[in-house]
Amino acid sequence: MRVTAVIPSWNRADLVRAAVTNLQSQTHPPGRILVVDNGSTDETVAIARQLGAECIALATNRGFAVAVNQGIQAADSEWVLILNNDVVLRADWMARILQAVRESAASFAVGKLLQPDGKRLDGSWDLVSRGAYAWRCGYERPDGPPWSERRQIALAPMTAALFHRHVFERVGLLETRFESYYEDVDFGIRCALAGIQGIYEPRAVAVHLGKATYGKRAARVYFLSARNQVLLLAKHYPRSTLRRFWWAIFVGQTLALAAAAKQGHLAAAVRGKWQALKRWRNFRAALPAPDAIEAVTAASEREILALQRALGFDIYWRLYFSLVKNT
């Protein structure tokens, strides 16, 4: 099973050096390592090439989605690994993830992402509510039994994810208008609508530094996330679905603004929502059938509720479900 690893990057040559070296030291290393550089001004390109990686050097920073798409298009292998430059894979990660897709016949796969302390999760698989707010399942939760069983998934975080190339042939590439953040949620929704399923393999373990390019509290992160939450609605919700789910949408988006305000970035989030509304019409082509998108998001939301009930509610989801119950 031949794999091409695609590493999008913008500056942070130190992270690229670590990521390439980490891939080369895997017990089952990828056949190709391709760094797609978003116009870095440091030594990223030179270091990647010195280490033996191939490099596509873009003139300017065009965002995560554009960089990843460039890598996917350049890949000539059956499988494509998309990997953030701030992820450290355990030595057997690639072997574990390939074993999982062989045994399950899945079209894509993700593993367990831990935070640098090695005790708490950074993520696993993604779910999204009817209000277009995504949950990276397990984020900030202690590692333990709920995150240690292989399971089928619909939405894959692209922090570290393996895809068969037929997935891109069926549903297309990443949505470049999203730039960064929620582009993988959009892609996951498209996979779910197409009936493409993936696998979560907890034995494939990695550590994620988290938002190392922009910084965890950067206003840009909140701007892009807030904007792209609304663009998800524009791209996937027909008018009848917007009417049907209007209360869940209102609650979900309002609570998202409150979450940004708690971190001191309300203004950035409001700007993001406003920009999305101004661009709304540009995303209204080729909408899915109402029953299809409603089934996908409602099922995902039920899974969020079940997990939150079992594990204890995060404040966002406690408020959300208390306000949207029976709707």
Side-chain angles (χ1 to χ4, degrees), residues 128-133 237 245 247-256 297-298 301-302 304-305 313-327:
V128 63
S129 71
R130 292 176 298 159
Y133 188 88
Y237 278 30
F245 289 169
W247 179 242
I249 294 167
F250 175 77
V251 170
Q253 296 297 312
T254 301
L255 290 175
T297 55
E301 183 170 300
R302 286 193 297 271
I304 296 172
L305 178 58
F313 281 88
D314 298 324
I315 184 63
Y316 176 95
W317 295 113
R318 180 179 297 280
L319 292 170
Y320 177 81
F321 285 114
S322 68
L323 290 168
V324 302
K325 59 184 178 181
N326 302 322
T327 66

Side-chain angles (χ1 to χ4, degrees), residues 109-128:
V110 297
K112 181 188 294 184
L113 280 171
L114 297 175
Q115 295 191 8
D117 64 9
K119 298 178 181 179
R120 293 172 299 153
L121 261 71
D122 188 79
S124 50
W125 64 94
D126 280 350
L127 295 169
V128 63

Side-chain angles (χ1 to χ4, degrees), residues 188-203:
I189 289 173
R190 285 187 275 146
C191 287
L193 288 168
I196 300 173
Q197 293 291 320
I199 199 82
Y200 166 69
E201 174 49 71
R203 297 181 302 163

